[in-house]
Amino acid sequence: MKKEEIVLFGGGGHCRSVIDVIEGEDRFRIAGIVDQAEMLHEKISGYEVIANDNDIPTLAKQYKYFFITIGHIRNSRPRWHLYDKLMTYNCSLPVIVSPKAHVSKRARLGPGTIVMPFAMVNSDAEIGPNCILNTSCIIEHDTVVGFNNHISTGSIINGNCRIGDNNFIGTNSTILNNITIGDDNLIGAAAVLVKSIGNNQKYFGNPATVIGRTYV
């Protein structure tokens, strides 16, 4: 059976990790990568940079499937704006799941979301579009994760939590049961969040306390 072609947006470290997952899943053939104009024809993990962001209208006529491989560390906006732009051109963003991950058959994943190796998404969890569920993270039962979140390596979101949009949940952090997190927050590495929080805050420590604001 012939594989569908897919174009990746962003050629950094996260892209290289995503390439490994796409190759392992074996559903798509990577047609090329979109990056800065000066990177044109360079190779990233063996795949050529074929275009830059200004070429989206042309690419949308040539290809059906696209995937955002820009990372999300402190600023969620590049992934968010690129997702909106691709949607404007009716591009299809599949769900990508590593064969080494576990996703419950009762979980739901939004378009453009990737589940990296050894991540776990348990029963009745719901993950919104354009999320990164990074290596070895755990999303427990009945938790809802919104749009464009990065759940980082080794982090744990326990059951019945509600996570808003555009959040970064740092490496090895823990979100206790029944916690609500608003939008545009940064939860630092190894933080333990024991209470619900609002929007645009940075939390670090155990128990996590606010140390400042994120961008507005």
Side-chain angles (χ1 to χ4, degrees), residues 13-14 17-18 20-21 98 100-102 114-120 132-139 150-156 169-173:
H14 181 61
S17 296
V18 172
D20 280 353
V21 175
S98 169
K100 297 178 180 178
H102 169 76
I114 186 163
V115 185
M116 301 295 280
F118 309 111
M120 178 174 289
I132 301 169
L133 306 189
N134 220 325
T135 306
S136 298
C137 74
I138 298 173
I139 313 294
H150 183 171
I151 313 303
S152 196
T153 50
S155 56
I156 300 171
I169 311 296
T171 293
N172 290 331
S173 59

Side-chain angles (χ1 to χ4, degrees), residues 1-36:
M1 183 177 176
K2 185 179 178 181
K3 298 177 190 176
E4 296 277 6
E5 290 188 307
I6 191 168
V7 175
L8 310 183
F9 277 81
H14 181 61
C15 177
R16 293 193 290 274
S17 296
V18 172
I19 285 170
D20 280 353
V21 175
I22 291 173
E23 290 177 339
E25 194 183 37
D26 203 30
R27 281 196 300 144
F28 295 99
R29 186 182 76 81
I30 298 170
I33 297 169
V34 178
D35 207 297
Q36 300 297 319

Side-chain angles (χ1 to χ4, degrees), residues 134-176:
N134 220 325
T135 306
S136 298
C137 74
I138 298 173
I139 313 294
E140 268 297 351
H141 64 88
D142 301 293
T143 281
V144 177
V145 176
F147 168 74
N148 196 40
N149 291 282
H150 183 171
I151 313 303
S152 196
T153 50
S155 56
I156 300 171
I157 302 179
N158 280 291
N160 293 294
C161 289
R162 297 292 181 268
I163 313 298
D165 300 334
N166 305 313
N167 294 288
F168 179 83
I169 311 296
T171 293
N172 290 331
S173 59
T174 301
I175 313 301
L176 298 191

Side-chain angles (χ1 to χ4, degrees), residues 41 45 69 82 105-106 127 139 146 152 166 189:
H41 303 307
S45 294
T69 51
L82 184 51
K105 66 182 181 180
R106 296 177 179 85
I127 312 299
I139 313 294
S152 196
N166 305 313

Side-chain angles (χ1 to χ4, degrees), residues 2-213:
K2 185 179 178 181
K3 298 177 190 176
E4 296 277 6
E5 290 188 307
I6 191 168
V7 175
L8 310 183
F9 277 81
H14 181 61
C15 177
R16 293 193 290 274
S17 296
V18 172
I19 285 170
D20 280 353
V21 175
I22 291 173
E23 290 177 339
E25 194 183 37
D26 203 30
R27 281 196 300 144
F28 295 99
R29 186 182 76 81
I30 298 170
I33 297 169
V34 178
D35 207 297
Q36 300 297 319
E38 59 268 23
M39 290 290 292
L40 193 64
H41 303 307
E42 294 288 331
K43 291 288 185 71
I44 297 168
S45 294
Y47 297 98
E48 185 177 357
V49 176
I50 59 172
N52 62 62
D53 286 358
N54 295 327
D55 298 318
I56 289 176
T58 301
L59 292 168
K61 294 176 182 177
Q62 186 175 357
Y63 300 99
K64 179 179 179 181
Y65 292 104
F66 298 83
F67 205 79
I68 297 171
T69 51
I70 299 169
H72 166 185
I73 299 298
R74 295 182 180 276
N75 186 354
S76 66
R77 275 169 163 68
R79 286 179 57 85
W80 166 15
H81 291 159
L82 184 51
Y83 180 91
D84 285 348
K85 191 169 185 179
L86 291 170
M87 291 299 99
T88 297
Y89 289 95
N90 297 313
C91 299
S92 293
L93 276 69
V95 173
I96 303 291
V97 179
S98 169
K100 297 178 180 178
H102 169 76
V103 177
S104 168
K105 66 182 181 180
R106 296 177 179 85
R108 296 171 297 282
L109 305 177
T113 283
I114 186 163
V115 185
M116 301 295 280
F118 309 111
M120 178 174 289
V121 184
N122 272 332
S123 184
D124 294 307
E126 182 175 344
I127 312 299
N130 207 39
C131 288
I132 301 169
L133 306 189
N134 220 325
T135 306
S136 298
C137 74
I138 298 173
I139 313 294
E140 268 297 351
H141 64 88
D142 301 293
T143 281
V144 177
V145 176
F147 168 74
N148 196 40
N149 291 282
H150 183 171
I151 313 303
S152 196
T153 50
S155 56
I156 300 171
I157 302 179
N158 280 291
N160 293 294
C161 289
R162 297 292 181 268
I163 313 298
D165 300 334
N166 305 313
N167 294 288
F168 179 83
I169 311 296
T171 293
N172 290 331
S173 59
T174 301
I175 313 301
L176 298 191
N177 290 305
N178 303 306
I179 295 289
T180 296
I181 295 175
D183 302 331
D184 299 295
N185 294 290
L186 188 155
I187 311 300
V192 178
L193 194 65
V194 300
K195 63 180 181 179
S196 296
I197 64 173
N199 305 323
N200 300 104
Q201 303 287 340
K202 296 178 182 179
Y203 277 80
F204 285 79
N206 179 9
T209 57
V210 65
I211 66 163
R213 292 183 61 80

